[in-house]
Amino acid sequence: MKEKVLTIVFMIVIATVFTAAVAAVHHATRERVRFNQELAGKEAAMRALGMDVPRNASFAEVSDLFKKMEVIEVKTAAGTETVYADKARKLGYALDIGGRGFWENVRGYLGVSPDFKLIRGIAFYQQSETPGLGAEIAKPWFMRQFADKEIPAQVEPGAPIVTFVPPSQETLGPREVHAITGATGTSNAVSTFLNADLHRILTDIRPQLEKARKGGGN
Amino acid sequence: MPGLLKGLMLSRSTQIVRDGVWTNNPVFRQVLGICSTLAVTNLLMNTTVMCIGLVFVTACSNVTVSALRHSTPRRIRMVVQTLIIAAYVIIFKILIDAYLPHISAALGAYVGLIITNCIIMGRAEGFAQSNGVWPSLVDGVANGLGYSFILGIIAFCRELLGQGTLFGWGVPFFSNPQHWRAWTIMVMPPGAFFALALVVWLARRKSSGDSNEE
């Protein structure tokens, strides 16, 4: 009986000690982790607008570049959306995109021109796809494809705005990009959430941003 | 005779190191930690961080298990070991999330999977439970290094042949699609199995040759 009590007490003590240790480390680094997330997001937003951000840029470099940007809060039916834009409004707007990838959630930013007619680019800052296959979505060659793709003025619900075509297709239309060979799952997943986000952006966010632009000297 | 004691201790440590890195190598002798070997060796960068994580966790958990070995009730010792290992892995993950965010993002779920790595549990149960703190530390580091060098060889081959890069940097000839057509199989699980099998076979031959056993 005494042995059983001792065993339980031991277990409780050990569990408490180690849980406390993990919690302490977590607490000590919490701010830094949240900060890193935000930094990664800002880096991606600037890349999506075509700005030249060096690889593995430091906090100082990113902050410096980010001085050219401003933060706009847009109220939508779903809540408040944070949109980044360059102060001069030459580059355009960077909007949050993301969704389920093949393995885990993918997060990134989509850059659009100020008149919403062209895509400036996309940049993913969080993805856990297969290296060499799905993870190619985070490589420059894939993300560069989206630059200067057209956004239609009118969209029918459910119709894709950007279409992913097989890599064997030589020429790309103004709204087409190449999918990744051997990464059908990831390509389909990205196509799904990207188009869903584009629909949402064009329906909910574009009107508000255009109103603000016309409404008066932003 | 402190000199003699120190001499004995040193030679025991050397023996433990040699066992952990070569004669009783966790990957090609004990055949442990195979899942992570297959999963992370597609990229040298991921392999490096995984190996650092493993050395850190194996060393720390061996020391802790050894320090607690007389007070841990026999019946719950494996539960306690798992708890200790999990705690250290989570601490490692939090630290790289904070200080190496780019790498943490690249590794994704693999860091958490260190908890399930058989090597750590194997050493905790097979060595730390019945040995002192210092030998356990040496054993933990040695096994971690043994794992690291085998994974390094496999990752080197897989990344070079499968993507033409090393640590993400293009290698002349291999990264030129006109000279070298990348072996995509090396990026995928079957390639990992083949590479691992070859390395294990070669290492066993060399290690049997060294110790003249059959």
Side-chain angles (χ1 to χ4, degrees), chain A residues 3-4 6-8 10-11 14-15 18-19 21-22 25-26 28-29 32-33 36 43 55-57 104 125-128 130-133 136 139, chain B residues 42-43 46 64 68 71-73 75-76 79-80 83-84 87-88 90-91 94-95 97-99 101-102 105-106 108-110 163 169 184 187-188:
Chain A
E3 197 199 303
K4 287 189 184 142
L6 229 69
T7 305
I8 294 173
F10 183 86
M11 203 59 218
I14 282 279
F18 279 95
T19 311
V22 173
V25 175
H26 172 73
T29 57
R32 217 194 143 103
V33 173
N36 284 335
E43 234 185 280
R55 239 172 85 125
N56 290 340
E104 286 185 33
Y125 66 93
Q126 188 178 308
Q127 56 88 14
S128 305
T130 317
L133 297 171
E136 293 291 293
K139 291 270 173 66
Chain B
N42 49 7
L43 290 170
N46 294 359
T64 314
L68 293 171
S71 28
T72 311
R75 259 194 277 197
I76 57 166
V79 178
V80 171
L83 185 113
I84 292 170
Y88 284 119
I90 295 171
I91 287 173
I94 293 174
L95 289 174
D97 271 346
Y99 296 104
H102 291 114
Y110 294 141
Q163 296 183 64
W169 296 100
T184 313
V187 170
M188 302 196 284

Side-chain angles (χ1 to χ4, degrees), chain A residues 134-214:
Chain A
E136 293 291 293
I137 57 170
K139 291 270 173 66
W141 76 262
F142 181 80
M143 299 194 290
R144 239 181 273 138
Q145 297 187 90
F146 290 85
D148 299 328
K149 292 292 158 181
E150 286 174 9
I151 300 177
Q154 308 287 5
V155 279
E156 302 107 49
I161 296 169
V162 175
T163 317
F164 282 55
V165 299
S168 52
Q169 184 176 312
E170 299 260 336
T171 45
L172 289 171
R175 286 164 51 185
E176 291 178 335
V177 291
H178 281 138
I180 300 171
T181 310
T184 317
T186 304
S187 300
N188 287 342
V190 174
S191 174
T192 307
F193 76 68
L194 183 62
N195 280 303
D197 277 331
L198 273 163
H199 273 280
R200 183 178 53 84
I201 289 166
L202 295 174
T203 333
D204 293 337
I205 303 179
R206 172 167 67 176
Q208 302 218 33
L209 288 172
E210 292 193 322
K211 197 165 64 180
R213 213 157 63 98
K214 294 186 179 110

Side-chain angles (χ1 to χ4, degrees), chain B residues 1-60:
Chain B
M1 296 175 259
L4 182 59
L5 192 65
K6 193 171 174 196
L8 282 169
M9 265 181 70
L10 272 172
S11 85
R12 181 157 189 231
S13 292
T14 321
Q15 182 62 41
I16 296 174
V17 171
R18 201 173 43 214
D19 277 348
V21 176
W22 188 248
T23 36
N24 197 27
N25 182 291
V27 180
F28 71 77
R29 276 281 158 212
Q30 301 174 60
V31 196
L32 296 175
I34 301 301
C35 315
S36 58
T37 308
L38 297 172
V40 302
T41 48
N42 49 7
L43 290 170
L44 270 167
M45 186 46 98
N46 294 359
T47 305
T48 308
V49 180
M50 177 60 100
C51 291
I52 293 172
L54 194 111
V55 172
F56 168 73
V57 174
T58 315
C60 292

Side-chain angles (χ1 to χ4, degrees), chain B residues 65 69 72 74 77 81 123-131:
Chain B
V65 169
R69 73 188 186 283
T72 311
R74 297 299 298 166
R77 69 184 192 283
Q81 285 163 18
R123 296 327 288 166
E125 177 65 6
F127 193 94
Q129 273 293 339
S130 28
N131 285 279

Side-chain angles (χ1 to χ4, degrees), chain B residues 25-202:
Chain B
N25 182 291
V27 180
F28 71 77
R29 276 281 158 212
Q30 301 174 60
V31 196
L32 296 175
I34 301 301
C35 315
S36 58
T37 308
L38 297 172
V40 302
T41 48
N42 49 7
L43 290 170
L44 270 167
M45 186 46 98
N46 294 359
T47 305
T48 308
V49 180
M50 177 60 100
C51 291
I52 293 172
L54 194 111
V55 172
F56 168 73
V57 174
T58 315
C60 292
S61 65
N62 261 21
V63 164
T64 314
V65 169
S66 175
L68 293 171
R69 73 188 186 283
H70 295 306
S71 28
T72 311
R74 297 299 298 166
R75 259 194 277 197
I76 57 166
R77 69 184 192 283
M78 296 198 102
V79 178
V80 171
Q81 285 163 18
T82 309
L83 185 113
I84 292 170
I85 293 167
Y88 284 119
V89 173
I90 295 171
I91 287 173
F92 178 71
K93 176 148 179 51
I94 293 174
L95 289 174
I96 59 168
D97 271 346
Y99 296 104
L100 295 171
H102 291 114
I103 293 178
S104 179
L107 280 178
Y110 294 141
V111 177
L113 289 177
I114 297 177
I115 301 177
T116 61
N117 194 314
C118 318
I119 295 174
I120 311 179
M121 187 67 139
R123 296 327 288 166
E125 177 65 6
F127 193 94
Q129 273 293 339
S130 28
N131 285 279
V133 173
W134 173 254
S136 299
L137 173 66
V138 176
D139 178 80
V141 174
N143 274 270
L145 291 175
Y147 170 84
S148 303
F149 108 84
I150 293 291
L151 259 70
I153 295 172
I154 298 174
F156 179 88
C157 299
R158 283 186 72 192
E159 190 176 349
L160 188 63
L161 298 175
Q163 296 183 64
T165 58
L166 288 176
F167 286 105
W169 296 100
V171 174
F173 179 78
F174 286 102
S175 58
N176 189 336
Q178 281 162 355
H179 295 153
W180 178 264
R181 187 136 176 240
W183 293 7
T184 313
I185 194 174
M186 277 294 160
V187 170
M188 302 196 284
F193 275 100
F194 288 127
L196 171 68
L198 278 170
V199 170
V200 167
W201 172 57
L202 288 167

